Structures are given as C-alpha cells and as structure tokens.
Amino acid sequence: MRTLAILEIFNIALIGWVVFGVADAPVTVANVAGYGATAFLLAVGASYWVVKLRQVRAGQSQLRYRVVFRRLRFLCAAVVVIAGILVGIGFAGRVSGYAAGVVLWVLAAAEYVNYFHWQLMYDNRAELARLSRTGRLARAHLWRDLRRTS
C-alpha cells in the first residue's frame, strides 16, 4: 500500500514531465485541465492508500476519514466533469492544443472509476486469478471501505 501511494505521487510528476516536457504539449486550458484532473485524482488515490495502510497496521476495522473520502468522491466527480467541459472547449483550437488534455481527461475519468466504483487495475496474482475466474471487475477497494458501516 505504501508503494501504491508513492507511485501515485510519482505519477503526478512523471505525467507532467512526459506531457509538457518530453511531448512538449502546449500549456492550454484543455491540456492543463486534463492534467489537473488527473493529478488531483492521483493525489486522492495516494491519500487513500496512506490512510488504508494506517488502518491495516493499526488493525482497525473501519477506514479513518471515511466522511472525507465520501465528500472527495463527489468533488472528484465534479473535477472530472469540469475538466471534461474545459477540454471540450479546446476542440475549437488546434489538435495539439487539446489532444493531451483529452488523453489526460480519459485517464482522470478512469482513475475516478478505479477508486470510487470498479477496480480497473489488477496487479497481483490473487486479483488476476479472481478476475479470470469470475470474468467480472471487482468493486474498488475505496468503494468497499465507504460502504462499510460503523
């Protein structure tokens, strides 16, 4: 879980460097909106893994800050929608002015789904075996934590 938190934070910097440094995407409203939404979702994901790690280490049955994550769920949805609108506005410009924004917006939307609804990332044998056995996506870890009652 610590590795997941670190990777999410690392990915914020890596994606920014790749998109705006290596690929030299222009700093447009669409591209910045897509990147901002992705960075925000990754930061929320990193914070979840930090809190989840503390829960597991402390042997607690409930996730701390559940109320905060419930509110973040709606804030994250709003961020994705607003970023989508801003990226959509970019369609009036050159392709280079919004292409990175579109890709990043899709990534942000996928991160939202991955954290708050359905697990999209399967990175260990047990999860892959379950996916192969059932043929269905699992509910996201955070989704399950938010559904648990006190």
Side-chain angles (χ1 to χ4, degrees):
M1 286 178 244
R2 183 179 63 194
T3 301
L4 291 170
I6 291 168
L7 286 174
E8 297 293 49
I9 295 299
F10 176 75
N11 283 333
I12 294 170
L14 178 65
I15 291 168
W17 175 71
V18 168
V19 170
F20 296 110
V22 175
D24 198 28
V27 179
T28 63
V29 171
N31 291 344
V32 171
Y35 173 71
T38 298
F40 185 74
L41 268 292
L42 289 171
V44 168
S47 65
Y48 168 68
W49 290 118
V50 167
V51 171
K52 185 67 176 175
L53 178 61
R54 289 182 182 165
Q55 174 197 355
V56 170
R57 285 185 175 165
Q60 299 168 334
S61 62
Q62 298 292 323
L63 183 73
R64 292 187 74 191
Y65 308 111
R66 278 192 338 245
V67 171
V68 173
F69 283 106
R70 282 188 181 119
R71 290 181 181 146
L72 280 171
R73 177 179 165 216
F74 295 106
L75 179 59
C76 287
V79 165
V80 170
V81 169
I82 292 167
I85 291 167
L86 293 172
V87 169
I89 291 169
F91 280 130
R94 305 172 320 188
V95 170
S96 67
Y98 69 84
V102 170
V103 171
L104 291 168
W105 178 78
V106 168
L107 179 59
E111 287 293 339
Y112 173 77
V113 170
N114 185 54
Y115 277 109
F116 293 102
H117 296 284
W118 298 98
Q119 184 177 345
L120 301 178
M121 182 67 182
Y122 294 84
D123 55 0
N124 65 56
R125 286 186 179 148
E127 290 176 343
L128 287 170
R130 195 209 63 75
L131 179 62
S132 176
R133 186 178 67 253
T134 65
R136 294 178 19 197
L137 296 175
R139 279 299 193 166
H141 293 280
L142 179 53
W143 183 91
R144 288 181 276 179
D145 279 332
L146 294 179
R147 294 300 180 262
R148 289 192 181 104
T149 57
S150 301

